[in-house]
């Protein structure tokens, strides 16, 4: 077998191994996030399973499409360079898909929380807050026509 075939075999082994490892890690650790997003354990489990299947389909599809190398591979160093380029692209695709999923689910969660907050309107005010202590501004014209300021005695009525 020539260097190109070995490169293909190594590429498939590393890419499939990385895809399986990342899918399992995201499935296991992302379930808690999905339960918070959907607020329903059964729905979170179902979405988690669907995300794992979609993740495998997209990543393994990309791995197989990106496997073909048009340039000839002359020696082992060229094979390793091509292999690192291909595996690096697989890792970038894995990261981009993960970022997209987290972004989309985060937006869905924010919308759900916003709807829950809108369903519970704030309470109506019961009364007014009592006046707070501290210095009061001095009115040189005396008390206002509405009456004395708090703490003052009202003026005596005229006789």
């Amino acid at each position: 077998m020539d260097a190109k075939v070995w490169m293909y075999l190594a590429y498939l082994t590393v890419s499939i191994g990385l895809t399986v490892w990342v899918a399992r890690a995201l499935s296991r650790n992302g379930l808690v996030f999905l339960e918070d997003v959907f607020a329903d354990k059964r729905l979170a489990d179902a979405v988690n399973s669907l995300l794992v299947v979609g993740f495998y389909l997209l990543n393994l599809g990309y791995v197989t499409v990106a496997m073909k190398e048009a340039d000839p591979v002359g020696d082992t160093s060229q094979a390793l360079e091509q292999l690192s380029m291909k595996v690096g692209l697989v890792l970038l695709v894995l990261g981009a898909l993960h970022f997209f999923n987290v972004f989309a689910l985060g937006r869905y969660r924010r919308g759900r929380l916003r709807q829950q907050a809108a369903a519970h309107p704030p309470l109506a005010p019961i009364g007014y807050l009592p006046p707070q202590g501290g210095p009061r501004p001095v009115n040189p014209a005396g008390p206002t026509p509405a009456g004395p300021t708090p703490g003052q005695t009202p003026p005596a009525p005229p006789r």
Side-chain angles (χ1 to χ4, degrees):
M1 283 195 270
D2 64 343
K4 196 171 194 177
V5 173
W6 285 110
M7 183 191 74
Y8 285 155
L9 292 174
Y11 169 70
L12 286 174
T13 303
V14 170
S15 297
I16 292 171
L18 281 172
T19 300
V20 169
W21 176 71
V22 170
R24 285 185 178 171
L26 292 177
S27 173
R28 182 178 56 250
N29 298 319
L31 187 57
V32 174
F33 178 71
L34 290 174
E35 287 173 357
D36 183 47
V37 167
F38 294 109
D40 180 8
K41 184 163 176 39
R42 277 188 57 219
L43 181 61
D45 286 336
V47 169
N48 195 28
S49 296
L50 292 173
L51 284 173
V52 168
V53 170
F55 187 81
Y56 279 130
L57 290 173
L58 283 171
N59 286 302
L60 294 177
Y62 175 77
V63 165
T64 55
V65 166
M67 187 171 84
K68 182 170 174 29
E69 180 60 44
D71 297 334
V73 177
D75 59 356
T76 308
S77 66
Q78 284 180 339
L80 288 175
E81 289 171 2
Q82 292 298 327
L83 177 64
S84 69
M85 184 67 152
K86 289 183 174 300
V87 170
L89 287 174
V90 168
L91 291 173
L92 288 173
V93 168
L94 287 171
L97 285 173
H98 174 64
F99 176 76
F100 174 75
N101 282 339
V102 170
F103 178 76
L105 290 169
R107 284 185 57 109
Y108 177 81
R109 179 180 177 266
R110 280 191 300 276
R112 184 181 57 78
L113 292 176
R114 210 174 296 125
Q115 283 179 346
Q116 284 178 347
H120 303 290
L123 297 175
I126 296 173
Y128 295 100
L129 292 174
Q132 301 295 317
R136 300 201 193 301
V138 177
N139 188 354
T144 60
T149 59
Q152 288 183 337
T153 57
R159 294 186 193 191

